Amino acid sequence: MTRTLKRIAKAAVFSCLAALTMTTSHAGDFIPAAEKGAYGISLNYPGGGIKYYLSDSIALELKGQADGDVKVGGLRLYSHLWAADRLFLFMGLEADYIGYKGKVSQGSGAAGEVFCGFEYFISPAFSFQSDFGPAYIYLKDRHNPVSVNGIEYVSNFAFTLYFGGRKSGEGTWLSY
């Protein structure tokens, strides 16, 4: 495991533990916006996404990222496993298309990931999310018969702003 990968893994574990300790500080009437019919706009490094809740515990997210000459677009499926006040633990699947262009090569590929993580609601409509998991990545050069594949560990961090999903008059947007 590389040094950077170890740092990412430690950051993901630390974030999960920190979020678990924060859930006991607030009680009662906190109702997050993540429910059937809600949609959200997420910002992650280096991209963004649009999330939609199909039910109170299942969500889909269309996600895109770009960094220099590498572009990734894909779909994520979330399943919430456990919720406590402000914290949702989830697992999911992700499928991505990858396009890249370098100085000596250019091509495309695909990635598939299994991940687990947490979403911590800072307010009913705004959350911080972190997840981690193994991803199978396949890349093929467009001009040469060269391809590369393997499993890499991927960590994601995002902030999401939710809209809709609430019945009229329930909750206050961006308040505790």
Side-chain angles (χ1 to χ4, degrees):
M1 194 181 279
T2 66
R3 185 174 175 170
T4 303
L5 185 57
K6 286 180 182 178
R7 287 182 179 171
I8 291 171
K10 285 179 184 177
V13 168
F14 176 75
S15 297
C16 286
L17 293 174
L20 283 171
T21 61
M22 288 186 259
T23 59
T24 59
S25 63
H26 306 334
D29 58 353
F30 186 86
I31 303 170
E35 61 183 5
K36 183 177 181 178
Y39 57 95
I41 297 172
S42 64
L43 294 176
N44 60 57
Y45 179 78
I50 299 172
K51 187 187 284 189
Y52 180 75
Y53 274 82
L54 301 170
S55 72
D56 286 346
S57 63
I58 304 290
L60 282 175
E61 181 179 23
L62 186 61
K63 182 175 147 181
Q65 295 178 308
D67 189 15
D69 293 329
V70 178
K71 293 170 182 49
V72 179
L75 186 65
R76 297 183 121 206
L77 174 68
Y78 294 87
S79 176
H80 289 248
L81 302 173
W82 179 75
D85 197 28
R86 296 174 178 257
L87 182 71
F88 287 20
L89 296 181
F90 60 81
M91 62 179 287
L93 300 170
E94 179 175 352
D96 296 310
Y97 170 80
I98 304 168
Y100 67 92
K101 181 178 181 182
K103 292 180 181 178
V104 293
S105 67
Q106 170 179 338
S108 61
E113 179 185 4
V114 176
F115 58 87
C116 63
F118 72 90
E119 184 167 20
Y120 179 75
F121 282 83
I122 298 164
S123 79
F126 187 68
S127 71
F128 170 72
Q129 174 180 320
S130 176
D131 59 70
F132 181 77
Y136 175 77
I137 301 172
Y138 172 80
L139 299 174
K140 183 170 179 5
D141 190 82
R142 182 176 293 166
H143 303 293
N144 299 308
V146 177
S147 65
V148 176
N149 63 51
I151 294 179
E152 297 290 333
Y153 289 91
V154 178
S155 182
N156 292 289
F157 300 95
F159 289 97
T160 304
L161 181 62
Y162 287 98
F163 302 93
R166 294 199 176 279
K167 295 165 189 65
S168 180
E170 288 184 10
T172 304
W173 187 74
L174 289 179
S175 68
Y176 289 94

